[in-house]
Every structure is written in C-alpha cells, then in structure tokens.
Amino acid sequence: MLWTVNYNDCLHVCSNSCFEDRHIFVVFVIVYATGVIATVFSSVSLVLASRSEQEYELRRNMLAFALGTYGMAFLIWSLEMGHCEVLRPYYDQLYGLTLHIIWHLGAGFGTYVLLAFINICRCQSLGYIVEIDYLWCFPIVKINGREKLLQH
C-alpha cells in the first residue's frame, strides 16, 4: 500500500500539538533569543579583542557575514510565522518547499559561517596566520604558518 503525506496535514498536526499552548511557544522564543543574544555579544567581544587592524577586519567581515545570513533567515522565519495561513496554499505548488525549510538552510549556513569565524579567532589567538578561501559561497579557513607571538 502506498502512503502519501500531505504537507499541510503534517503542518496542521505539528502546529496543533506543539504550539497549542502558546506558553510553550513563548518559552521557546525566549530561550532561543537568549542564546542568540549571548552568542552575538560574545562574538562581538572577540572582534573587539583583535590585536591588529588585519585581524579586526577579517573578524568583523566574517561576523557580519554570519549575522547577516542568520538575520535574513530569521526574517524569512518571521514572515512565515506571521503569514502561515496565507502561504499554506503555495507550499503544495512548490513541491513542499516552504519558508521554514529556507529558514533552516539560512540558519544552518549562518551557523557554519559563525563556526568559521570562531575557528579564525582561535587560530589567530594561537598565533597562526589565517586566510579565507571560498568554495562557492562557503568560507574555508586556511592556515598559512605561524607568526611570531607578541611578548606581553
């Protein structure tokens, strides 16, 4: 027997079972937002802790790339959350591609770039010379030897 699943039915069941009680959704958003805010503040402190103008520019650009990508994904998620009923008829026409899927792709890519940023900061703090190459739009961290560490 062939089973077919309608995305709208799954979405309806999920939204009714997970967020029937709005308090759960509010707690989820507060906890998630707290984690994002803490990550942003700690990342900005890593940019400000740069030892040179070159380190500062590389860190600033990578953090802006990560936060910009993640921020755009968040806007897409917000659009879906605010207009879910209006968008629902279009999801079947797009073969199941939803704004929620795009949110996950954008958030995942933003997180990847943030991890590359943290890798850059760690390598620089250990005295390595760091460069960035790109594979399509994916930043690849390259280590090009070790510089002489400054004596404090």
Side-chain angles (χ1 to χ4, degrees), residues 52-137:
S52 70
E53 186 64 30
Q54 183 180 8
E55 274 188 11
Y56 175 80
E57 285 184 27
L58 180 59
R59 290 180 183 192
R60 182 195 64 204
N61 292 341
M62 284 299 292
L63 183 59
F65 186 22
L67 295 180
T69 303
Y70 202 89
M72 290 300 294
F74 176 76
L75 290 175
I76 290 170
W77 178 77
S78 299
L79 177 68
E80 182 192 39
M81 292 300 290
H83 303 287
C84 185
E85 294 300 323
V86 174
L87 297 170
R88 189 173 288 176
Y90 298 103
Y91 291 157
D92 286 334
Q93 295 173 358
L94 296 172
Y95 303 103
L97 179 65
T98 66
L99 292 180
H100 196 81
I101 292 171
I102 295 170
W103 144 252
H104 279 285
L105 292 172
F109 182 68
T111 301
Y112 170 81
V113 177
L114 184 64
L115 291 173
F117 162 78
I118 292 169
N119 192 12
I120 289 167
C121 294
R122 177 68 175 152
C123 290
Q124 288 175 337
S125 72
L126 293 174
Y128 290 103
I129 300 168
V130 178
E131 290 182 7
I132 303 297
D133 278 345
Y134 288 90
L135 178 62
W136 296 303
C137 58

